[in-house]
Amino acid sequence: MRVWDFPAGLAATLVVLIHSIDARSIFSTSPATGGNLLREAFPVGNGRLGAMSFGQPSMEKVNLNHDSLWSGGPFESATYSGGNPSADVSRSLQTIRDTIFSKGTGDVGSLLGNNNNYGSFRAMANLSVVISDIKSYSNFKRSLDLTTGVHTTVFTADDKRVYTSAVYCTYPNQVCIYRLSVSGGSLPNVAVSLENQLVPSNLRNATCGVSFVRLNGVTQIGPPRGMEYDVLARLSTGPLGMPISSCSTSAPGTMVVTGSAYGPDEPLNSFSIIIGAQVDYDQKKCNPANKYSCKNDLKPSIANDKVTAAAATRLESKLLIGHIQDYQSSMNQFNITLNDPWAKSQYPAEAWKPLEKRQYDAADGGSYVEMLLFDYARHLFICSSRPNSLPPNLQGVWTEQLESAWSGDYHNNINLQMNHWFANQVGMGNLQEALFNFMKDTWAPRGRETAKLLYNAAGWVVHDEINIFGHTGMKQDAKWANYPAAAAWMVQHVYDHFDYTRDLPFLQQTGYVLMRDVATFWLSQLQLDRFSKDNTLVANPCNSPETGPTTFGCAHFQQLIFQLFETTLSAGWAVNDADSTFTTSLDVYMASLDKGLYIGTWGEIKEWKLPDSKGLEKQGDTHRHLSHLVGWFPGYSVAGFQDGYGNTTIQQAVATSLRSRGSGKADENAGWEKIWRAACWARLNNTEQADFELRYAIASNFAANGLSQYAGLDGPFQIDANFGIAGAMLSMLVVDLPAAYRDTEKRSVVLGPAIPRRWGPGKVSGLRIRGGTTLEMTWNGNGVVDRVSITKRGESVRFYSKKGLLIGEI
């Protein structure tokens, strides 16, 4: 381990540091309500399954979700095409391009598709647990322990006994657990059922059997028959054996657990329920060989019986131990400690309430909220992104509706990307396997068809909005739909995963193929700029995401394509790609590629290549997206490959653009737009502005349960800012830009570019750096890094302070 203490000196010594992670939890003293579930409840999950406890004591409910339960797609339409046209429309591209190069703008109407049978992520069921004979309660508290991933509810009933329920979802056993216990004597009779009152009765069937209740359902009767699902709540074997239960004769589908069955000498003071859920979706079947069916031939009930039976034979205490070990294997990879003047380890959900109306400052102890939200981001990622799951969607893996906001899908022009900003840096890169498998299994197969039908291109392409069935074609509005740059942005995460971990087998077997095929697509699409006549290659047509006209050479596209080509060359070198024709083509094209970096008449980074006389670059445009700054953050084609981070002129232009774009309130007032701004300011070493945007997002968009909301606090819930806040905080801790393909200089990393004073003294451990290094660092009350320890040495790198002081090197 290499350690630097400074500014007193740069002496290196070997030390052994032992860390203990303080228990951190978030709690509330009032029940979560069904009407405000995603503003009040605390979520748990295991990747595939998500759960949220809510409702009054003695009448608790657990909202249950499965990541793959969707309406629409091939399950509900035999002719579902993933948004692709029925015939080749690529012949219209030439006319579209000619018009745009002639007039500067045009339209892509002939390429637009539809959202027929697009579908939506939807709620699966509620587990209902009703304790008999309880009429009132006191001392209520529900909490989520972020060191164990266990949700606990405690209250004192009118019988003077303390009742405790726990909910968690275990990845090793692929089930969720509900445990109920009482402090003395036997539990009263407890009624357990499964319900989904949102769907018509002919689409669901609740039943009760020996020691279990079950809910079967289907999204539509058909033809074709919709997606089938099965939810099973099975009693677990306890210390006294299987609890005695019976099926209610007055409430069909309800199981009654008999609390007094064993008599006073052997009280049943606790029992557990194993909850499993399965659907007949299979992402491995979303390909031409399976006619894009996305359907598993195994009945969900058969798979569910097997999984829940295996878990139910084990003592719940053993399941809990396995869950905690698995959860902490990810959670304990990283730790952040910020100065906490309140010295709290548990944080009430009500702490957010005063923040809704004002900005907080150092005197308010705001850093404890940020420390909590950082851990919360990691908890949510563990709960919603696992190797056998889908990646977290716009709502993670939690919803209470049949029609989720924005379908609960994947928006690929910032939102899905923001979900993954932080994972590699905190040792959770392996959990991104869900994303990489999803791209490989659903995007690439249908995306190859899209590339051919819309662009007459090899490789694969996707556009902005994606469902779980691989909707890779365009939708209906060019501002949102004309976005073939989505895949170029997404494979940044592929390259970054390799760059941080140096996992060469991943790059060889999965990553490079994805990158190469996307680069192949763009090699065929670049056009010589006939409008500017500057001999550069540009994308035509393009739309800067969700704004402006259809034109050519959008800064957003050009920056991403440049980054794609550079990283693909680096990845090709790493895997020793023998196809020199391909790599040479990348080299040749990149030499003429427009890099997407122009400074306009009022000092801004231009969003469009069209001359300023066209009036597109408007000062005070407060659009929520920072699309023309993608190469600054989270990308690096401007900040790194064009040396923008070390170039005062570019820095000033980025700052001018950020000031013009506003604070992130005037347009939609979403949480993620403020978080994006915070990260961009941090990369400018601007502590004051980065800190302001971070605090502004928390004060404006984070609800009482810590989940981020769209449109201020009006909702709906959108999880990207929950993940993004960890990424933004990391950008305040470190600037770590990748090396360009031909860069032979030792890389430089800046530590502490934008640490607020109120965070100090503080420390992090387990921070990953590109090239495979892991480090610990501390900073003082001025936010200045004063100690660095290398706990795992990777590739050579120099560490600098934000003022350019050399801290040390490896």
Side-chain angles (χ1 to χ4, degrees):
M1 183 185 300
R2 178 165 290 181
V3 182
W4 297 288
D5 291 291
F6 47 88
L10 298 177
T13 59
L14 290 176
V15 299
V16 177
L17 300 179
I18 301 175
H19 297 283
S20 63
I21 298 179
D22 296 330
R24 295 173 186 168
S25 66
I26 177 172
F27 71 89
S28 176
T29 54
S30 58
T33 60
N36 279 305
L37 197 60
L38 292 171
R39 292 188 182 91
E40 297 176 356
F42 304 133
V44 295
N46 66 8
R48 281 186 172 176
L49 303 181
M52 294 180 287
S53 177
F54 69 102
Q56 295 297 312
S58 81
M59 295 183 289
E60 190 172 14
K61 294 182 185 292
V62 180
N63 170 258
L64 301 169
N65 297 124
H66 192 291
D67 68 347
S68 305
L69 182 58
W70 268 64
S71 59
F75 290 84
E76 297 187 7
S77 172
T79 60
Y80 182 73
S81 66
N84 285 334
S86 58
D88 190 329
V89 297
S90 63
R91 291 183 298 276
S92 64
L93 262 178
Q94 189 58 52
T95 300
I96 291 171
R97 287 168 171 160
D98 288 345
T99 300
I100 290 173
F101 278 140
S102 173
K103 299 180 178 180
T105 59
D107 72 77
V108 291
S110 58
L111 303 181
L112 295 175
N114 60 71
N115 59 347
N116 296 343
N117 294 106
Y118 186 79
S120 176
F121 176 54
R122 57 189 288 168
M124 177 174 273
N126 288 335
L127 175 74
S128 175
V129 181
V130 179
I131 308 172
S132 63
D133 302 328
I134 294 179
K135 298 179 177 61
S136 62
Y137 66 91
S138 60
N139 301 320
F140 176 89
K141 181 180 179 181
R142 58 186 173 91
S143 59
L144 174 62
D145 187 337
L146 296 177
T147 64
T148 64
V150 177
H151 181 282
T152 306
T153 302
V154 181
F155 67 93
T156 302
D158 51 356
D159 63 5
K160 308 304 181 184
R161 297 190 294 171
V162 177
Y163 289 79
T164 303
S165 67
V167 179
Y168 61 94
C169 297
T170 163
Y171 176 73
N173 298 97
Q174 290 296 292
V175 294
C176 295
I177 310 292
Y178 177 90
R179 183 202 325 124
L180 179 66
S181 60
V182 67
S183 60
S186 294
L187 284 162
N189 289 351
V190 180
V192 178
S193 61
L194 287 165
E195 63 186 20
N196 188 337
Q197 299 177 9
L198 299 176
V199 300
S201 58
N202 67 329
L203 295 179
R204 55 180 164 84
N205 182 39
T207 57
C208 174
V210 178
S211 301
F212 72 84
V213 290
R214 170 170 251 143
L215 181 71
N216 295 111
V218 63
T219 57
Q220 79 172 21
I221 294 175
R225 185 169 176 79
M227 189 182 294
E228 295 185 20
Y229 62 93
D230 182 81
V231 191
L232 186 62
R234 185 195 296 267
L235 287 174
S236 174
T237 300
L240 300 178
M242 184 66 68
I244 295 175
S245 65
S246 60
C247 294
S248 172
T249 57
S250 59
T254 299
M255 173 178 64
V256 179
V257 180
T258 308
S260 60
Y262 296 102
D265 295 332
E266 292 184 297
L268 180 68
N269 55 19
S270 178
F271 72 86
S272 300
I273 299 171
I274 307 297
I275 309 163
Q278 300 284 336
V279 299
D280 59 351
Y281 167 87
D282 184 352
Q283 75 179 40
K284 299 293 185 183
K285 300 291 184 67
C286 296
N287 51 48
N290 291 280
K291 299 180 180 179
Y292 298 107
S293 71
C294 301
K295 186 170 185 177
N296 191 328
D297 295 330
L298 182 65
K299 296 288 287 185
S301 58
I302 295 175
N304 212 11
D305 283 335
K306 182 178 180 180
V307 171
T308 56
T313 59
R314 303 187 63 196
L315 289 175
E316 186 267 332
S317 58
K318 299 291 187 181
L319 298 178
L320 177 60
I321 291 172
H323 159 71
I324 292 176
Q325 289 175 339
D326 169 75
Y327 180 88
Q328 291 184 344
S329 69
S330 292
M331 202 67 170
N332 291 358
Q333 292 290 319
F334 179 90
N335 187 39
I336 182 169
T337 302
L338 306 182
N339 177 43
D340 181 359
W342 293 0
K344 297 286 186 179
S345 63
Q346 296 190 63
Y347 307 104
E350 288 79 1
W352 271 276
K353 290 183 178 179
L355 305 182
E356 297 170 11
K357 296 184 173 60
R358 62 180 174 84
Q359 294 295 303
Y360 63 98
D361 55 27
D364 298 311
S367 59
Y368 88 83
V369 176
E370 288 142 39
M371 187 163 54
L372 172 68
L373 287 176
F374 196 108
D375 285 349
Y376 203 28
R378 296 189 294 141
H379 164 80
L380 293 170
F381 202 69
I382 293 170
C383 291
S384 61
S385 185
R386 292 299 190 118
N388 69 338
S389 77
L390 293 169
N393 65 41
L394 280 172
Q395 296 189 212
V397 67
W398 300 279
T399 185
E400 81 286 35
Q401 302 175 13
L402 293 184
E403 295 290 335
S404 300
W406 301 282
S407 298
D409 69 0
Y410 302 94
H411 276 46
N412 307 315
N413 61 15
I414 180 57
N415 312 99
L416 179 57
Q417 289 88 347
M418 188 177 284
N419 288 358
H420 296 81
W421 278 1
F422 73 100
N424 288 305
Q425 291 176 274
V426 298
M428 289 185 177
N430 61 308
L431 299 186
Q432 294 181 105
E433 188 175 339
L435 174 66
F436 304 143
N437 286 340
F438 187 52
M439 293 167 66
K440 179 176 64 175
D441 294 338
T442 64
W443 291 23
R446 184 76 85 167
R448 291 188 183 93
E449 181 182 284
T450 305
K452 188 65 176 175
L453 290 172
L454 267 64
Y455 303 98
N456 190 29
W460 60 274
V461 68
V462 299
H463 296 86
D464 178 33
E465 297 175 47
I466 305 287
N467 60 17
I468 67 169
F469 311 113
H471 185 104
T472 54
M474 290 192 192
K475 279 191 170 182
Q476 294 165 316
D477 186 329
K479 280 187 178 181
W480 287 262
N482 182 28
Y483 190 61
W489 193 346
M490 286 309 306
V491 295
Q492 174 185 330
H493 293 281
V494 173
Y495 182 74
D496 284 352
H497 180 61
F498 167 71
D499 209 20
Y500 278 98
T501 64
R502 285 300 189 254
D503 184 348
L504 187 58
F506 159 77
L507 192 65
Q508 292 169 327
Q509 298 162 21
T510 300
Y512 185 60
V513 175
L514 291 170
M515 296 179 68
R516 180 186 166 117
D517 284 353
V518 176
T520 296
F521 170 82
W522 279 107
L523 284 174
S524 71
Q525 294 305 297
L526 293 171
Q527 305 289 303
L528 192 65
D529 185 347
R530 289 184 273 131
F531 185 96
S532 308
K533 298 179 181 178
D534 58 2
N535 294 317
T536 62
L537 294 171
V538 295
N540 179 1
C542 64
N543 279 80
S544 198
E546 304 191 22
T547 189
T550 299
T551 180
F552 68 94
C554 304
H556 181 80
F557 278 56
Q558 302 301 140
Q559 291 172 17
L560 286 175
I561 296 167
F562 175 35
Q563 177 174 291
L564 169 69
F565 285 3
E566 276 277 5
T567 54
T568 302
L569 282 169
S570 293
W573 179 86
V575 302
N576 194 24
D577 188 347
D579 186 355
S580 60
T581 300
F582 170 72
T583 54
T584 299
S585 295
L586 283 180
D587 244 348
V588 170
Y589 273 62
M590 195 159 59
S592 300
L593 181 69
D594 185 305
K595 307 301 192 297
L597 178 59
Y598 296 96
I599 297 177
T601 54
W602 45 275
E604 84 284 9
I605 301 291
K606 284 173 59 63
E607 189 162 5
W608 292 274
K609 192 174 183 182
L610 285 169
D612 287 356
S613 60
K614 295 289 186 179
L616 294 177
E617 310 287 347
K618 298 176 181 176
Q619 273 186 283
D621 176 4
T622 56
H623 194 272
R624 57 197 175 277
H625 284 257
L626 302 177
S627 299
H628 53 316
L629 302 182
V630 68
W632 183 258
F633 191 97
Y636 30 75
S637 61
V638 172
F641 298 155
Q642 298 189 70
D643 196 30
Y645 183 71
N647 184 302
T648 303
T649 300
I650 295 175
Q651 290 173 355
Q652 291 174 346
V654 172
T656 297
S657 295
L658 284 169
R659 292 190 182 93
S660 176
R661 221 55 157 185
S663 64
K665 179 180 180 179
D667 178 24
E668 302 295 348
N669 196 18
W672 60 260
E673 55 183 313
K674 302 176 185 69
I675 293 299
W676 196 355
R677 285 158 171 77
C680 284
W681 282 114
R683 189 158 283 183
L684 282 168
N685 297 353
N686 191 318
T687 307
E688 180 180 359
Q689 287 298 322
D691 189 33
F692 166 76
E693 290 289 354
L694 190 76
R695 292 182 290 117
Y696 189 32
I698 295 171
S700 302
N701 296 101
F702 284 75
N705 62 349
L707 294 182
S708 60
Q709 307 294 309
Y710 202 80
L713 285 168
D714 294 333
F717 163 51
Q718 189 171 305
I719 202 169
D720 37 31
N722 277 105
F723 294 135
I725 196 168
M729 291 174 68
L730 286 166
S731 74
M732 297 163 77
L733 295 173
V734 60
V735 175
D736 184 15
L737 301 169
Y741 173 56
R742 287 188 173 81
D743 191 353
T744 58
E745 295 291 321
K746 181 178 284 192
R747 228 168 38 82
S748 298
V749 171
V750 174
L751 299 177
I755 299 177
R757 289 175 181 266
R758 59 192 178 80
W759 284 9
K763 63 180 179 180
V764 292
S765 61
L767 178 64
R768 271 65 174 177
I769 300 296
R770 294 177 188 274
T773 292
T774 304
L775 61 81
E776 302 170 354
M777 71 179 186
T778 64
W779 55 90
N780 61 25
N782 292 318
V784 177
V785 173
D786 55 17
R787 180 180 172 89
V788 179
S789 305
I790 302 300
T791 56
K792 179 184 176 183
R793 177 169 179 157
E795 295 182 354
S796 297
V797 65
R798 291 190 179 96
F799 295 99
Y800 290 90
S801 72
K802 65 184 292 184
K803 293 184 177 181
L805 171 68
L806 178 64
I807 294 171
E809 60 184 292
I810 56 173

